[in-house]
Amino acid sequence: MKKPIFFLLVNFFISITLFAQQEQQDSIAPKTLNEVIVIGKKTKLYQKQSKPLASIDEYLQQSAKVDMIKRGGYAWEPIINSMATERTLITIDGMRIFGACTDKMDPITSYVEVLNLAEATVVSGQQGGCHGATIGGAIDLKKNQSSFTNLGWKTDFNAGYETNGNQKIAGAVVNFVDKSFYIDTDFMFRKADNYFAGNNKEIEFSQFQKFNISASSGVKLDANKMLKASIIYDRATDVGYPALPMDVSLAEALITSLSYEYVPVASTIQSWETKLYYNTVTHVMDDTKRPNVPIHMDMPGRSDTYGMYSKAKGVFGKHNFTADVSSFYNRSIAEMTMYPNNPNENIMFMYTWPDVRTLYYGLFLEDNLVLNTNSSLLFTASIASHSNKVASQFGLESLQIFYPNMNATNNRILGSFSTHYNYSHSGFECGLGLGYGERAPSVSEGYGFYLFNSFDGYDYIGNPELKNEQSLESSMSFGYSKSKWSSKLSATVFYMPNYIVGTPDPSLIPMTIGANGVKIFTALDYATLFNMDLNLEYQILETLKWQGQMVYAYGKDCNNRNLPFISPFSYSSAFNYLKNRFSATLAVVGNATQSQFSPYYGENRTPDYAILNSFIGYSFYVKNNKWNVRLGVENIFDAYYSTFSSWNNIPSKGRNFVLNLNFGL
């Protein structure tokens, strides 16, 4: 406990010292602290990305802050700062969306596609508090949106093929814009068979297929008022999860929104957006294609969310401020029906999520204060009301077996604040920050009922009596750039009281056949996490650039046990060549041995690995139509490996030849 407090205090006093040493000068616009991962076509996607039709998961892995828990070849779960989705937030254009799977087989990122999105904004720690209560940070997936400048019709067609898994990809984008109206539409389809790990080992039950349709439209009401509407429909079927005991017959989402934007003229308020949204997610787990199933189960789940936010941004003197009022109402329900092999035995039914209703109201405030031409100071604060209610009487009575005094309703207050100092001068930059945040237990942590975790082999039972999990964080970053090269080192320490984990209860009998026992969600006194990353870039020639990245993480709980899914030392190095219409990339990606694994949480040692990838691309015209072609090979030497975040050590893809095509009209 002494080490994290020491780091917090050191960063605090350094921040105060540097603040005191700055002289007041002319104000400038402050720099944003967000990391932006380019996805969409608006930034010349096909000139900058080696594999343009990659999944959203592959794009997010570019960030040093993001890793992926892989349970198969589809729908990986993003983890930010070594924290899984209970401690982080993922939004689409600021909208809160909740998965409908108790096994987290349907992260929010699985319901969007590369043709929908322009970029992903990754925010660490309490800087992500603008989207709600978080500990580890947030990812906001921003949709593509036309402006009113390039008038007329625009059409793009996309096609791709990957040899490993026989994956076929097809997509199209059709946009129309005039001076007061636009409509953007797109369609994407993917279908893959089982993929093969290194040494030509087939990974059974890793197939999937999905399609995604999206449309958004905007109309100018006058020069400074706009009305926008958006809809995404995503449907995946026959999705295999080789690392889990069950697959998915249906994962379906409908995501809708309606927003009003106002840009005042000559006002302190620069923009004001109000959005209403609704989304529904349906998820059905399926074991009918698995051999030797001890007992067949139907496990459907559903999540419905109604929400809104109203966000105003403005400038007052040296203050760049944001005020955001938000609210959402979510209903999460999941069932399990078990069919014994003996027809004379009774069918068993239970709620694994007992129709939990969540009502949230929040206020977020941000002030980015320009101190002088070289430095700025960012303050954020939020306060929120969070209420859970178990609407199913049967589900409530099931949980009252373990918690006799449990009430159907649980009300909480969540708060956060942060401050971040940023300084830049003559190519040098540094940042120092402090933050505090709280989160409520997730639906599974608070109300889950006999949720089987195949990672450690335990059934889990929620605990509605859990306190808010808390986090104290301290961050620092240093960077230096010249005309041809740049570097940036970032580090963050998290000290988390009331750290929520599952703890074995030997007095309880598991329900899942073959389970190791039952764990009750409880709160440890604290846990600590340390994350550090170094990003380097060097422009060797006008046409040749080198990029490198190194990441290290360390995590312990209060009992000195390693935390799960903590990345060992990882690295990447890439040479990128771009001249006229030709581009090429040669990259190596790898991890050191995961020596600080956690047997208590179900982990074992993961060997080191390194894989080599190569891509080439060329752009050309046929009449007036521009074509973009990308060819590549991933895992050139067909290495057999699994990562530290591969669920149950599921191996990753072996050698994979990739073809991506695009042409526009």
Side-chain angles (χ1 to χ4, degrees):
M1 180 173 177
K2 295 180 179 179
K3 287 186 177 180
I5 294 177
F6 172 78
F7 279 118
L8 291 169
L9 291 175
V10 167
N11 270 0
F12 175 77
F13 286 115
I14 292 176
S15 301
I16 295 298
T17 303
L18 289 176
F19 171 81
Q21 291 176 348
Q22 302 307 312
E23 297 178 359
Q24 296 294 321
Q25 300 178 29
D26 296 336
S27 65
I28 57 171
K31 294 183 178 180
T32 59
L33 305 174
N34 303 340
E35 177 184 4
V36 176
I37 299 172
V38 173
I39 297 175
K41 59 188 182 301
K42 289 196 171 183
T43 50
K44 298 182 180 180
L45 170 68
Y46 288 90
Q47 294 183 17
K48 296 189 176 183
Q49 296 296 338
S50 299
K51 187 180 174 183
L53 298 180
S55 68
I56 298 301
D57 304 333
E58 293 172 286
Y59 275 93
L60 291 176
Q61 284 191 126
Q62 299 175 27
S63 170
K65 303 293 184 187
V66 180
D67 283 301
M68 292 286 172
I69 297 177
K70 302 174 184 178
R71 298 175 173 92
Y74 174 77
W76 302 342
E77 178 191 354
I79 53 178
I80 308 172
N81 283 321
S82 304
M83 300 184 217
T85 47
E86 296 89 355
R87 297 181 171 87
T88 61
L89 293 178
I90 300 176
T91 53
I92 299 176
D93 281 338
M95 297 182 289
R96 296 296 300 271
I97 305 170
F98 297 86
C101 176
T102 57
D103 282 355
K104 300 196 287 187
M105 300 156 80
D106 66 334
I108 305 310
T109 47
S110 67
Y111 294 118
V112 288
E113 270 292 349
V114 292
L115 298 185
N116 304 150
L117 302 179
E119 62 188 34
T121 304
V122 181
V123 190
S124 179
Q126 292 310 311
Q127 301 302 323
C130 58
H131 302 298
T134 182
I135 298 293
I139 300 174
D140 188 32
L141 303 168
K142 298 181 182 297
K143 288 192 81 237
N144 274 319
Q145 177 181 300
S146 290
S147 61
F148 297 98
T149 54
N150 299 318
L151 306 182
W153 291 92
K154 181 172 176 56
T155 304
D156 281 293
F157 297 96
N158 304 272
Y161 180 72
E162 300 186 18
T163 58
N164 195 330
N166 190 32
Q167 182 175 175
K168 296 167 282 289
I169 306 168
V173 177
V174 180
N175 299 335
F176 174 76
V177 182
D178 68 17
K179 293 182 179 180
S180 60
F181 172 80
Y182 75 83
I183 182 167
D184 299 335
T185 63
D186 59 74
F187 170 81
M188 195 75 165
F189 173 79
R190 297 178 188 264
K191 180 177 174 60
D193 301 329
N194 291 337
Y195 73 80
F196 288 77
N199 301 323
N200 205 37
K201 180 180 178 181
E202 183 177 4
I203 307 302
E204 295 183 334
F205 310 109
S206 59
Q207 79 289 339
F208 67 89
Q209 68 176 25
K210 69 168 292 186
F211 71 87
N212 180 285
I213 302 174
S214 171
S216 57
S217 181
V219 57
K220 274 190 173 182
L221 303 178
D222 60 30
N224 61 346
K225 298 182 181 69
M226 185 185 298
L227 192 65
K228 296 180 181 180
S230 175
I231 183 170
I232 298 174
Y233 177 71
D234 188 280
R235 181 184 176 92
T237 56
D238 189 25
V239 182
Y241 287 87
L244 299 174
M246 298 189 74
D247 301 313
V248 170
S249 60
L250 176 66
E252 184 179 49
L254 177 67
I255 302 166
T256 65
S257 68
L258 179 67
S259 64
Y260 174 78
E261 294 183 12
Y262 173 54
V263 182
V265 178
S267 170
T268 298
I269 304 296
Q270 293 188 326
S271 66
W272 191 347
E273 178 190 14
T274 299
K275 177 179 289 188
L276 302 175
Y277 61 88
Y278 164 74
N279 54 75
T280 179
V281 178
T282 302
H283 192 272
V284 181
M285 285 189 265
D286 177 31
D287 62 5
T288 57
K289 296 182 180 180
R290 293 297 182 95
N292 305 318
V293 176
I295 181 169
H296 168 62
M297 293 182 289
D298 285 339
M299 296 183 66
R302 178 165 176 155
S303 171
D304 300 316
T305 306
Y306 304 81
M308 63 78 61
Y309 67 79
S310 186
K311 179 186 298 185
K313 295 183 178 181
V315 177
F316 182 75
K318 295 185 177 183
H319 298 268
N320 296 261
F321 63 86
T322 299
D324 188 347
V325 177
S326 63
S327 178
F328 69 81
Y329 175 79
N330 172 259
R331 179 197 184 200
S332 292
I333 184 169
E335 305 171 358
M336 177 188 290
T337 304
M338 291 169 280
Y339 301 88
N341 294 324
N342 184 349
N344 295 322
E345 296 181 3
N346 292 328
I347 293 174
M348 293 176 286
F349 173 86
M350 64 183 181
Y351 284 111
T352 49
W353 283 348
D355 196 0
V356 180
R357 314 291 177 92
T358 302
L359 180 61
Y360 176 95
Y361 298 98
L363 171 65
F364 173 82
L365 300 173
E366 176 182 289
D367 182 13
N368 207 341
L369 172 64
V370 178
L371 301 176
N372 51 55
T373 56
N374 303 120
S375 58
S376 62
L377 193 59
L378 176 71
F379 298 95
T380 71
S382 71
I383 186 74
S385 168
H386 183 281
S387 175
N388 289 131
K389 179 181 179 180
V390 178
S392 165
Q393 186 63 31
F394 176 73
L396 177 63
E397 292 172 356
S398 298
L399 283 169
Q400 286 176 336
I401 296 172
F402 305 99
Y403 308 100
N405 299 321
M406 170 188 173
N407 295 319
T409 302
N410 192 336
N411 299 312
R412 302 171 184 270
I413 298 297
L414 305 173
S416 75
F417 69 86
S418 71
T419 180
H420 192 280
Y421 172 79
N422 187 72
Y423 173 83
S424 61
H425 180 68
S426 299
F428 172 78
E429 62 175 293
C430 74
L432 298 162
L434 291 172
Y436 170 81
E438 298 177 331
R439 74 168 182 99
S442 68
V443 173
S444 290
E445 292 170 334
Y447 304 96
F449 192 75
Y450 280 100
L451 305 177
F452 179 64
N453 185 325
S454 63
F455 193 73
D456 60 8
Y458 280 83
D459 283 334
Y460 278 69
I461 294 174
N463 183 353
E465 299 173 354
L466 288 169
K467 297 180 179 179
N468 295 342
E469 186 176 273
Q470 303 163 315
S471 172
L472 289 165
E473 68 178 70
S474 176
S475 62
M476 62 178 69
S477 63
F478 299 93
Y480 189 69
S481 60
K482 298 286 285 186
S483 58
K484 290 188 175 183
W485 64 275
S486 64
S487 62
K488 186 172 183 179
L489 176 68
S490 302
T492 308
V493 177
F494 294 91
Y495 172 73
M496 294 169 284
N498 297 325
Y499 187 79
I500 299 173
V501 297
T503 301
D505 189 333
S507 67
L508 300 178
I509 300 173
M511 185 173 295
T512 303
I513 297 173
N516 296 326
V518 177
K519 287 186 176 181
I520 300 285
F521 280 107
T522 187
L524 302 181
D525 289 342
Y526 66 89
T528 57
L529 262 175
F530 172 74
N531 295 279
M532 181 172 65
D533 59 86
L534 174 64
N535 290 272
L536 303 168
E537 187 173 295
Y538 180 60
Q539 192 76 42
I540 302 171
L541 302 170
E542 184 179 350
T543 57
L544 182 63
K545 179 188 292 185
W546 173 80
Q547 293 174 302
Q549 184 180 90
M550 290 175 280
V551 178
Y552 175 76
Y554 178 85
K556 293 277 189 179
D557 65 20
C558 61
N559 298 310
N560 203 36
R561 292 185 292 242
N562 294 319
L563 297 180
F565 298 115
I566 303 299
S567 174
F569 174 76
S570 64
Y571 58 89
S572 66
S573 177
F575 290 92
N576 299 294
Y577 178 82
L578 177 62
K579 185 175 183 180
N580 299 328
R581 299 178 181 179
F582 179 79
S583 64
T585 298
L586 182 66
V588 61
V589 179
N591 273 178
T593 300
Q594 186 191 19
S595 56
Q596 297 180 355
F597 59 95
S598 179
Y600 179 81
Y601 293 104
E603 286 187 319
N604 54 23
R605 182 185 298 269
T606 303
D608 65 313
Y609 73 89
I611 60 171
L612 188 66
N613 306 319
S614 179
F615 285 86
I616 58 171
Y618 187 69
S619 300
F620 59 94
Y621 285 87
V622 177
K623 295 184 178 180
N624 294 324
N625 302 326
K626 185 175 182 180
W627 288 69
N628 300 277
V629 182
R630 290 290 184 272
L631 292 167
V633 187
E634 298 175 313
N635 194 356
I636 292 175
F637 297 110
D638 200 31
Y640 183 90
Y641 72 101
S642 62
T643 72
F644 77 96
S645 56
S646 298
W647 196 266
N648 288 330
N649 301 119
I650 178 178
S652 298
K653 279 187 177 182
R655 186 183 297 113
N656 184 30
F657 292 91
V658 179
L659 169 65
N660 284 181
L661 299 174
N662 163 266
F663 72 94
L665 301 177

